[in-house]
């Protein structure tokens, strides 16, 4: 059993947009090797929190600490990727005209031009990493297929593989199952479980059935603040959660 270790901690962060507090004085913790979901009604501040963690949005107060000693709030987004936090946005940003394999090579090496990257020699270890990703995402048979010809779900998985090739300790996912079929959702859930065996995964999600099935821990946000945090069972039994979701199904 792995000891619980704090991977990320926000300390009293506030985010303001023209005086409006999208996040207000938020304390929040993410522990290692867990599938951690972030839920809450529209406008709760979930996306803003992910934006802060990956350096896309600045805080007006507070700090966000990664692995106990790295304050993220002053770091540029590329530096945050470099220290081990990668995010997969909702819209895939893959190269449609390149093959699955070429897309994965690009994810490995980003310091060269596109053509130089694709044609450059990769090491045995990099080759092994790519193969591992192809198996994890079930894309091994589509390896030489053009990415643009993949199904919606497969494109999402390819991007997950690309994010993982950056070798993050913390993976941020924005509504990863949006637009997926039931089978694709299940595959994605199993994939996330697998990923969380040696990384931490933080997911913004609206689909409560998915959260219920795959969450180790759930944080509920409301109006820029943390409402509560716990297992899905604890969250479902919390009257405050029922109240903020008024009429929306939590169970
Ligand atoms: N760039 C911005 N400028 C002004 N207001 C913003 C900006 N980004 C977010 N907001 C506001 O901040 C609040 C929190 O938004 P955020 O997108 O983080 O919520 P959310 O919980 O992700 O909602 P949803 O589930 O609908 O995506 C909302 O009231 C939103 O309108």
């Amino acid at each position: 059993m792995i000891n619980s270790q704090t991977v990320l901690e926000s300390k009293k962060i506030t985010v303001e947009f023209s005086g409006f507090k999208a996040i207000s004085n938020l304390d929040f913790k993410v522990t290692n090797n867990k599938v951690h979901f972030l839920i809450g009604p529209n406008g709760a501040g979930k996306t803003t929190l992910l934006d802060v963690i990956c350096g896309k949005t600045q805080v007006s107060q507070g700090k966000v600490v990664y692995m106990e000693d790295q304050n993220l709030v002053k770091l540029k987004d590329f530096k945050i990727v470099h220290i081990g936090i990668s995010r997969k946005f909702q819209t895939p940003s893959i190269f449609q005209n390149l093959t699955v394999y070429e897309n994965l090579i690009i994810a490995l090496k980003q310091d060269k031009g596109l053509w130089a990257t694709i044609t450059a020699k990769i090491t045995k270890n990099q080759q092994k990493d790519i193969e591992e990703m192809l198996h994890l995402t079930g894309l091994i048979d589509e390896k030489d297929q053009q990415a643009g010809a993949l199904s919606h779900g497969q494109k999402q998985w390819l991007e997950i593989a690309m994010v993982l090739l950056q070798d993050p300790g913390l993976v941020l996912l924005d509504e990863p199952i949006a637009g997926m079929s039931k089978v694709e959702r299940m595959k994605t859930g199993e994939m996330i479980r697998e990923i969380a065996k040696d990384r931490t995964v933080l997911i913004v999600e609206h689909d409560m059935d998915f959260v219920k099935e795959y969450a180790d821990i759930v944080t509920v946000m409301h109006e820029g603040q943390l409402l509560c945090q716990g297992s899905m069972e604890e969250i479902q039994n919390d009257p405050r959660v029922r109240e903020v979701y008024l009429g929306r199904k939590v169970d």
Side-chain angles (χ1 to χ4, degrees), residues 163-195:
V163 161
L164 293 178
L165 282 172
Q166 294 166 349
D167 199 21
L170 175 62
V171 181
L172 310 176
L173 302 176
D174 273 287
E175 300 191 45
I177 58 162
M180 285 189 181
S181 68
K182 208 172 161 189
V183 174
E184 287 176 332
R185 282 165 189 239
M186 227 173 67
K187 275 193 178 177
T188 308
E190 297 306 324
M191 205 178 287
I192 289 170
R193 265 200 190 135
E194 197 58 36
I195 295 166

Side-chain angles (χ1 to χ4, degrees), residues 202-215:
L202 178 63
I203 311 165
V204 168
E205 187 53 68
H206 280 289
D207 187 311
M208 289 305 162
D209 289 333
F210 189 71
V211 176
K212 200 169 166 181
E213 185 70 31
Y214 295 103

Side-chain angles (χ1 to χ4, degrees), residues 110-164:
Q110 289 170 331
D111 52 345
K112 297 189 175 85
L114 194 60
W115 184 246
T117 299
I118 300 168
T119 52
K121 251 189 137 155
I122 60 168
T123 67
K124 275 206 171 120
N125 276 343
Q126 288 174 322
Q127 178 69 32
K128 205 172 127 252
D129 290 345
I130 289 181
E131 302 253 318
E132 203 180 299
M133 286 308 128
L134 286 167
H135 284 290
L136 174 79
T137 53
L139 291 173
I140 190 82
D141 293 338
E142 284 76 20
K143 184 174 160 234
D144 299 317
Q145 193 171 310
Q146 263 204 348
L150 297 174
S151 72
H152 169 73
Q154 289 172 325
K155 283 181 186 165
Q156 301 288 332
W157 300 334
L158 172 56
E159 200 169 22
I160 289 179
M162 291 170 79
V163 161
L164 293 178

Side-chain angles (χ1 to χ4, degrees), residues 15-18 20-23 39-51 57 174-175 204 206 221 224 248:
V15 177
E16 291 179 55
F17 296 113
S18 317
F20 168 74
K21 287 186 179 169
I23 293 184
I39 67 168
N42 292 331
K46 307 178 294 292
T47 308
T48 306
L49 180 55
L50 288 202
D51 288 348
T57 294
D174 273 287
E175 300 191 45
V204 168
H206 280 289
M221 284 184 74
R248 281 184 60 182

